[in-house]
C-alpha cells in the first residue's frame, strides 16, 4: 500500500463518519445549540498536563503540574498524640487479674444436670454396698445416704 492509498482511505472514512453523525442527529432531532456545543468540544485540542514528567522543551514547561505537598505522617501522629491525655503506664501486670477465675465455668454449666444424676446414682450404689456388706442385720444406712428414688 502506498501513502496515497492510505490517505484516500482515511478521507473516505472521515466522510462516512460525518454522514453517520448527520443521520444520527437528524433521527434525534438535535437542536442547533447542542450541535454547536458538540462541534466546539470536538475542535478543542486536549490540554497537556505533566504530573510525573519534566519536559526538556521550554515551551512545554507551563504544562507541568506542581507536585502536591503530602502531609508528614510523623507530624500528624505527633499532633494526635499531643491531643490525647497521658495515661499512666502499668509496669506490673498481675496475670491473676487478667485470667478468668474459673476457666471451665461453661463446662460445669453444661454438665451440671448430668453430674446431679450421677451423684444420685453414686449415693444409691454406696447405700447398696453398705447393705450388702453388713447384710440384712437390721442396720440401716447412715443419715443422708438413704437411697431416694428420684
Amino acid at each position: 500500500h502506498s501513502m496515497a492509498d492510505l490517505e484516500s482511505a482515511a478521507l473516505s472514512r472521515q466522510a462516512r463518519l460525518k454522514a453517520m453523525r448527520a443521520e444520527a442527529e437528524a433521527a434525534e432531532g438535535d437542536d442547533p445549540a447542542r450541535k454547536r456545543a458538540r462541534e466546539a468540544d470536538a475542535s478543542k485540542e486536549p490540554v497537556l498536563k505533566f504530573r510525573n514528567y519534566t519536559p526538556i522543551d521550554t515551551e512545554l514547561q507551563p504544562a507541568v503540574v506542581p507536585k502536591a505537598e503530602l502531609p508528614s505522617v510523623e507530624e500528624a501522629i505527633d499532633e494526635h498524640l499531643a491531643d490525647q491525655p497521658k495515661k499512666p503506664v502499668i509496669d506490673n501486670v498481675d496475670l491473676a487479674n487478667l485470667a478468668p477465675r474459673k476457666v471451665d465455668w461453661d463446662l460445669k454449666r453444661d454438665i451440671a444436670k448430668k453430674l446431679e444424676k450421677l451423684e444420685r446414682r453414686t449415693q444409691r450404689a454406696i447405700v447398696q454396698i453398705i447393705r450388702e456388706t453388713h447384710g440384712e442385720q437390721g442396720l440401716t444406712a447412715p443419715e443422708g445416704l438413704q437411697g431416694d428414688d428420684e
Side-chain angles (χ1 to χ4, degrees):
H1 297 277
S2 69
M3 198 64 153
D5 291 341
L6 292 176
E7 287 179 15
S8 64
L11 290 175
S12 66
R13 188 178 329 112
Q14 286 178 352
R16 284 194 314 261
L17 287 173
K18 283 183 182 180
M20 287 173 39
R21 280 192 202 118
E23 287 178 21
E25 289 174 1
E28 292 177 5
D30 263 353
D31 61 296
R34 191 179 294 171
K35 186 176 180 181
R36 274 187 253 121
R38 193 177 308 131
E39 287 175 1
D41 288 343
S43 67
K44 287 184 184 176
E45 289 189 23
V47 178
L48 292 177
K49 292 183 182 180
F50 296 114
R51 290 184 176 86
N52 296 326
Y53 174 70
T54 306
I56 298 172
D57 192 5
T58 56
E59 292 178 12
L60 298 177
Q61 290 293 334
V64 174
V65 176
K67 294 194 184 280
E69 290 293 324
L70 297 177
S72 174
V73 175
E74 291 84 10
E75 292 175 7
I77 291 174
D78 290 340
E79 290 175 9
H80 181 69
L81 290 176
D83 293 343
Q84 299 293 324
K86 300 235 178 194
K87 295 180 181 177
V89 178
I90 301 173
D91 292 333
N92 306 8
V93 176
D94 187 14
L95 293 179
N97 290 339
L98 293 178
R101 288 188 175 84
K102 294 184 180 179
V103 178
D104 58 351
W105 68 272
D106 57 336
L107 298 175
K108 289 182 181 180
R109 178 199 63 205
D110 293 342
I111 61 170
K113 290 184 180 181
K114 293 178 184 178
L115 281 175
E116 289 175 13
K117 187 176 182 180
L118 186 61
E119 187 66 31
R120 288 194 303 264
R121 286 185 181 174
T122 305
Q123 292 297 328
R124 284 189 208 130
I126 291 172
V127 168
Q128 185 179 3
I129 291 172
I130 290 174
R131 286 185 182 157
E132 288 175 0
T133 56
H134 292 300
E136 292 296 328
Q137 301 171 357
L139 295 174
T140 60
E143 220 32 67
L145 291 180
Q146 300 290 334
D148 295 332
D149 291 291
E150 291 181 18

